[in-house]
Amino acid sequence: MLSSCLCAAAESGTSRIPVAEPWWKGAVIYEIFVRSFQDSNGDGIGDLNGITSRLDYLRDLGVDAIWLTPCYPSPLIDFGYDVADYKAIAPEYGTLADFDRLVAEARKRNIRIMLDLVLNHTSDKHAWFQESRASVNSAKRNWYSWQDGKAGGLPPNDWKSEFRGSAWTLDAATGQYYFHRFWPEQPDLNWRNPEVRNAMFDVVRFWLKRGLAGFRLDAVPSMFEDPNIASPSESFDQMPETHQVLRQLRAVVDEFPGDRLLLGETYTNNAAELASWYGKGNEIHLPLNFQFDLVNHVSAPEFRQRLADEQHNLPKAWPAHFLSSHDQSRQIDRYRDGAHDEAIAKLMATLLLTARGTPVMNYGEEIGMRTMTPTRVEDVRDMDGIRNWPEKKGRDGERTPMQWNEEATAGFSNAKPWLPVPPNTTTINVAAEQTDPSSLLNFYKQLTRARRSSAALKYGTYHEMDAGDPDILAFVRKDGVSNQRVLIVLNMSPNPRTAKFPALVGQKMRALVNTGGRNADAADDGIRLSSFGAVVLELK
Ligand code: GLC
Ligand code: CA
C-alpha cells in the first residue's frame, strides 16, 4: 500500500540503526579488465601503473572500489582465470611494488582495491598441479580430483566442462583422469582436502595484509562436485560443503579490520539459492544477483518482479547488482533499441545506481562502450571463441581497450593494443564526453553524486510505487535514520508517459537527476516523462 510505504520508518519496523554502515553498502564498485584499461609502458597491454595513472578519473566518476580481474602470473588460456601463482603479479601487469603503490594512491582518493580470487581451479602450470600430476604417490596428488577411467578408454563419467567437451582429461604419464569444470588447462582444486583450504586461506591473508579491501570470488557454485561420480551431469554441484568453506573463508577475512569484502560470482537462477550464499550473515557479504542481470530487455514488469523477488527472498540481506561484465555483452548493447540508445543507457544506469543494493559496473559502461564481437576467427583472442568458433565467438567484444580519446589507439597505449580498438572511439570516448554536459559519462557522475549525498539512495529500504504499470517502474527509497525519501520513476517504454502518484499529492519534490521528466517539483498533475525518461526526486 502506498500510504503505508511512506509512513515514518519507526512504525514500519525498518528503521536503520544510526551506526556506521560498512563501506561496501553505499559503494559503487567498478570492474577493471586489467589488460584493457591503460597501458603505461608501451607494450599494448594494460597494466597496474596504467590504472594508477587513471585514478583521478575514477575518483571524479564517483567510484568507491575497483575490482581488478586476475592479474596473477598466468599462461592466459582463460585470460588470467588460470592462475599459475596466487602470490605474485604477472610481469606484463607490473610488480608487487606497483600493486602496493596502486593501493596507496587509491586510498588517497578514498578508492579501495579488490582482487579476483579464482578458487575453483588453478592453471595446469601452477606448481601445485605440476607436483600433483607428477605421480600417483605425490604429496599433492589429492589437491586435485583424480580418477581412474572406465573400461574401453572412457572418462570416469559423462560430466561436461562449461566450455567444451568432457570435464575429464587423461594424464598419460600416470594413466588417470583429472577433473576440470572449465578448460583442461584449469584443473579443479579438491576443496575437500584441508591442505588446499589452508593454502588458499594463506593466499587470502597475503593480500589482505597488503591492504586489499576484499575479493571478488570466481565461480563460487562450482567449488564442489558430487562425490558420487555416478550422478548426472546436470546436477553434480554440491552446495553444502561450499557453504562450509565460505564460512571458513569469511572468518579469515574477518581477522582483518576495516570491513574487508567478499563479492561473489554466485550464478544461479534460483532465488532461494541466491539467499543461501549470505549464510547467516557469515558467508559472502555481496553475492551478485544474476537474476536481475537475466532480464535482457527493458521491461517495467520484469524488473519490478525481480526487485519484488529480491525483497521477498532477501528481506534482511543487502543485494548486489550488475548489468554487464567481462563475460557478457555491454550494458548499452543488451538494452538498446536502435532509436533511443542513449536514453535507454541512462535509464538502465539509473536503475542500477538507485535500486536497493550495491551496484557493480563494468569499465567503459559509463561512456557507452559497445561490444565489438570479432568477425574473423584469426582475430579472436579468447579461447572460448578460438576453440569453439563459429558456434561461440568468445568474450573479446566486451574486453576491448578503454576508449580515452579519439585517436587510433584510443589513448589506451602508444603501441598496437592487444585487442583492436573499436572504430567508434572517434565519437565514443572519455575526452569527448567530459566536455559534453549531456553525455552518458556526465550522467553517471550525476548519479554517483546523488548517491553520495543521499542516505536514502545508499542505505534506504525499497517500496514499490507503480502498482503494476506496464511502462513505469517506480519506487521509493527511504532512510530509517534521517527519514529522507527519494522517489525513482523510470519510463521503460518509448512512449512519453505521465506517472501519477495519488499518495504524493501536495508533496514537494526536488530533482536530483532528470533525463527529461517535466513537472518534477510537485507531482499533483503527474510527472511527465519522455521516451525512456528517468527521474530521481527527493521528497521534501
Ligand atoms: C568466471 C569468470 C570467467 C572465467 C570462468 C572460469 O566465470 O568470470 O571469465 O572464464 O570463471 O574461471
Ligand atoms: Ca603495459
Side-chain angles (χ1 to χ4, degrees):
M1 269 186 44
L2 300 184
S3 54
S4 79
C5 84
L6 293 170
C7 66
E11 290 164 36
S12 65
T14 54
S15 57
R16 180 167 72 87
I17 303 161
V19 293
E21 299 279 5
W23 65 269
W24 44 262
K25 262 186 117 169
V28 173
I29 301 178
Y30 187 90
E31 171 180 7
I32 289 183
F33 196 74
V34 174
R35 212 175 172 75
S36 295
F37 198 62
Q38 180 66 56
D39 173 22
S40 73
N41 62 348
D43 62 0
I45 295 172
D47 46 54
L48 298 186
N49 287 338
I51 296 169
T52 305
S53 74
R54 294 294 189 180
L55 285 170
D56 286 345
Y57 167 80
L58 296 169
R59 180 201 50 208
D60 295 347
L61 175 58
V63 166
D64 300 288
I66 299 168
W67 142 33
L68 303 175
T69 56
C71 45
Y72 315 96
S74 163
L76 301 182
I77 296 297
D78 189 12
F79 278 108
Y81 287 93
D82 47 327
V83 178
D85 179 358
Y86 288 90
K87 290 188 183 174
I89 299 290
E92 59 197 344
Y93 300 137
T95 62
L96 278 173
D98 294 334
F99 174 81
D100 292 342
R101 197 167 70 87
L102 171 59
V103 170
E105 288 297 319
R107 183 179 293 136
K108 287 183 196 161
R109 295 161 179 84
N110 278 320
I111 298 174
R112 291 169 160 87
I113 302 293
M114 301 172 60
L115 286 177
D116 212 312
L117 189 65
V118 187
L119 297 164
N120 177 66
H121 47 269
T122 68
S123 162
D124 62 339
K125 299 295 182 293
H126 195 293
W128 299 340
F129 188 71
Q130 295 290 314
E131 196 180 331
S132 181
R133 87 183 319 172
S135 123
V136 287
N137 302 316
S138 157
K140 288 204 170 54
R141 189 65 169 179
N142 198 25
W143 281 43
Y144 294 83
S145 295
W146 293 96
Q147 290 280 344
D148 292 327
K150 287 201 289 207
L154 293 172
N157 62 26
D158 67 352
W159 292 355
K160 295 276 175 292
S161 134
E162 295 288 332
F163 284 131
R164 195 183 67 173
S166 172
W168 298 96
T169 288
L170 177 65
D171 184 50
T174 57
Q176 282 194 311
Y177 287 80
Y178 65 89
F179 177 76
H180 51 86
R181 168 73 67 136
F182 298 95
W183 290 119
E185 295 89 342
Q186 295 171 295
D188 273 44
L189 283 162
N190 172 16
W191 277 89
R192 294 197 170 94
N193 183 339
E195 290 177 28
V196 167
R197 297 185 188 192
N198 289 335
M200 201 61 93
F201 296 160
D202 187 44
V203 167
V204 166
R205 291 190 182 95
F206 173 86
W207 291 106
L208 293 178
K209 278 182 201 151
R210 300 192 97 92
L212 192 79
F215 295 96
R216 179 263 192 184
L217 305 177
D218 186 59
V220 171
S222 304
M223 286 172 70
F224 283 86
E225 290 72 46
D226 196 332
N228 171 16
I229 65 161
S231 75
S233 191
E234 309 75 60
S235 57
F236 63 75
D237 284 329
Q238 282 283 292
M239 303 306 175
E241 291 172 279
T242 307
H243 288 291
Q244 190 202 19
V245 168
L246 290 174
R247 285 191 292 275
Q248 293 173 340
L249 174 61
R250 174 66 175 267
V252 173
V253 168
D254 286 347
E255 290 166 10
F256 293 80
D259 294 313
R260 311 297 171 103
L261 172 66
L262 297 176
L263 170 74
E265 191 200 13
T266 41
Y267 38 75
T268 172
N269 46 26
N270 172 331
E273 188 186 304
L274 174 68
S276 80
W277 293 119
Y278 293 86
K280 293 189 171 72
N282 56 356
E283 296 185 23
I284 299 176
H285 304 86
L286 291 178
L288 280 167
N289 186 351
F290 275 69
Q291 304 180 74
F292 193 81
D293 163 77
L294 281 173
V295 183
N296 262 313
H297 48 266
V298 183
S299 157
E302 287 188 54
F303 279 108
R304 184 184 306 117
Q305 181 62 47
R306 301 293 164 151
L307 291 168
D309 281 353
E310 204 170 63
Q311 279 297 105
H312 178 73
N313 289 295
L314 314 176
K316 299 222 176 73
W318 192 250
H321 303 120
F322 70 106
L323 296 174
S324 65
S325 75
H326 66 290
D327 286 331
Q328 64 169 193
S329 301
R330 287 193 167 274
Q331 193 257 50
I332 196 160
D333 292 308
R334 296 188 55 212
Y335 300 105
R336 69 196 177 92
D337 68 353
H340 310 88
D341 298 355
E342 186 157 323
I344 294 175
K346 289 177 176 171
L347 175 86
M348 295 307 294
T350 310
L351 175 62
L352 180 69
L353 280 109
T354 63
R356 172 180 167 265
T358 299
V360 181
M361 47 188 291
N362 192 14
Y363 81 99
E365 185 172 317
E366 72 276 20
I367 55 170
M369 271 177 63
R370 302 295 171 96
T371 319
M372 203 178 79
T373 306
T375 52
R376 307 180 314 173
V377 65
E378 53 269 38
D379 296 334
V380 182
R381 306 295 299 275
D382 179 14
M383 231 23 117
D384 201 19
I386 294 174
R387 293 182 180 170
N388 290 316
W389 193 271
E391 290 78 38
K392 287 163 101 184
K393 307 255 182 324
R395 296 160 291 180
D396 293 350
E398 52 266 32
R399 299 173 176 187
T400 53
M402 179 68 180
Q403 294 171 204
W404 298 103
N405 64 31
E406 74 295 340
E407 292 164 14
T409 57
F412 162 75
S413 174
N414 301 326
K416 185 170 180 254
W418 76 281
L419 267 185
V421 168
N424 63 27
T425 198
T426 50
T427 52
I428 302 173
N429 66 68
V430 170
E433 294 196 29
Q434 267 167 341
T435 58
D436 171 4
S438 68
S439 67
L440 186 58
L441 175 59
N442 278 318
F443 184 70
Y444 268 89
K445 288 187 191 174
Q446 276 181 45
L447 283 170
T448 57
R449 268 200 299 273
R451 278 177 65 89
R452 287 216 172 150
S453 69
S454 163
L457 286 177
K458 279 190 292 193
Y459 311 122
T461 47
Y462 168 87
H463 309 272
E464 189 177 297
M465 285 293 286
D466 47 37
D469 191 297
D471 294 338
I472 304 282
L473 178 67
F475 51 91
V476 163
R477 302 284 311 285
K478 185 171 67 179
D479 178 52
V481 173
S482 60
N483 273 325
Q484 188 201 29
R485 294 163 306 151
V486 173
L487 171 68
I488 294 96
V489 191
L490 306 172
N491 180 7
M492 296 205 148
S493 84
N495 311 312
R497 285 285 319 264
T498 299
K500 293 196 174 168
F501 302 101
L504 297 179
V505 167
Q507 173 71 55
K508 280 275 171 236
M509 305 183 184
R510 179 175 73 101
L512 301 175
V513 171
N514 187 344
T515 70
R518 305 254 303 281
N519 286 1
D521 49 354
D524 295 13
D525 304 321
I527 299 165
R528 277 186 279 151
L529 292 138
S530 52
S531 305
F532 297 105
V535 287
V536 179
L537 302 156
E538 184 179 357
L539 306 183
K540 303 284 239 185

